């Protein structure tokens, strides 16, 4: 677990790489695991393989997505651990079991990984041997899944914080440009951005990105912000409702 923690720490800022590190570490650390996947069920219905370690994992996830049944889906949604000791004799998901066996998957174990609103996830381990996963594998896998869920959640939170900081910076840049161009104070410039956002039904962050992009385009053309161009005109903000028009009003 110490080794796993170090591996996840190296990828802590990127949720996708964190998930990949989780699947790869699971194969190396859980007894009998030959391949692994993290399956996400979005809005309770769409199956997505968020990370894969091994061809069997990819084929098994694709099978469940096609059939809309299988242990990964049930583990994710029902929030419980599911173990299949012998795929040929398991009758809980007959269509899936028959096809998975033909692929070469003889044993599986699935752990609920995380829950976020209507989105669910499961860590799935596969083996080509019958009765491959015993109590040790189940115990170690459960600890691993719990640790991995925390690491993944932290990575998502960090990514969201970074995105929020980036958005704040862009809004600050746009506000500064309006302050300089129209001689506005900080509050008045932000109020102008907010009003344009409401009037044009455009997200404040998107509008700020557009203001900055338009200003950079004008600067590259040697025109500057005050060349008479309506910032945002013809780019989703609405003709006649750009920053210049809003400022004049």
């Amino acid at each position: 677990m110490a080794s796993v923690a170090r591996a996840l720490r190296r990828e802590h800022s990127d949720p996708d790489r964190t998930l990949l590190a989780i699947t790869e570490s699971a194969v190396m650390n859980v007894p009998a695991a030959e391949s692994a996947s993290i399956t996400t069920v979005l809005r309770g219905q769409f199956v997505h393989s968020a990370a894969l370690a091994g061809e069997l994992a990819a084929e098994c996830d694709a099978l469940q997505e096609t059939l809309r049944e299988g242990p990964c889906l049930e583990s994710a949604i029902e929030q419980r651990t599911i173990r299949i000791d012998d795929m040929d004799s398991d009758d809980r998901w007959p269509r899936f079991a028959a096809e998975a066996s033909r692929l070469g998957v003889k044993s599986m174990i699935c752990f609920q990984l995380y829950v976020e609103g209507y989105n669910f996830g499961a860590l799935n381990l596969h083996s080509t041997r019958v009765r491959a996963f015993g109590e040790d594998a189940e115990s170690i896998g459960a600890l691993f899944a719990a640790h991995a869920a925390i690491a993944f959640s932290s990575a998502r939170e960090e990514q969201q914080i970074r995105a929020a900081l980036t958005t704040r910076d862009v809004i600050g840049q746009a506000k500064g440009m309006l302050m300089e161009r129209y001689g506005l104070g900080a509050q008045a410039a932000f109020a102008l951005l907010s009003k344009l956002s409401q009037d044009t039904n455009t997200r404040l962050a998107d509008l700020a990105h557009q203001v900055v992009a338009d200003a950079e385009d004008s600067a590259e053309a040697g025109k500057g912000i005050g060349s008479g161009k309506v910032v945002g005109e013809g780019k989703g903000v609405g003709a006649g409702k750009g920053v210049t028009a809003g400022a004049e009003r």
Side-chain angles (χ1 to χ4, degrees), residues 30-35 82-85 105-111 124-138:
V30 178
E34 298 175 34
S35 66
I82 294 177
R83 192 169 83 188
I84 298 177
D85 292 323
V105 179
K106 299 300 182 180
S107 300
M108 282 186 66
I109 188 166
C110 307
F111 304 92
N124 318 298
L125 308 178
H126 315 79
S127 176
T128 57
R129 295 190 292 111
V130 174
R131 287 177 286 278
F133 300 111
E135 292 183 2
D136 286 347
E138 187 166 344

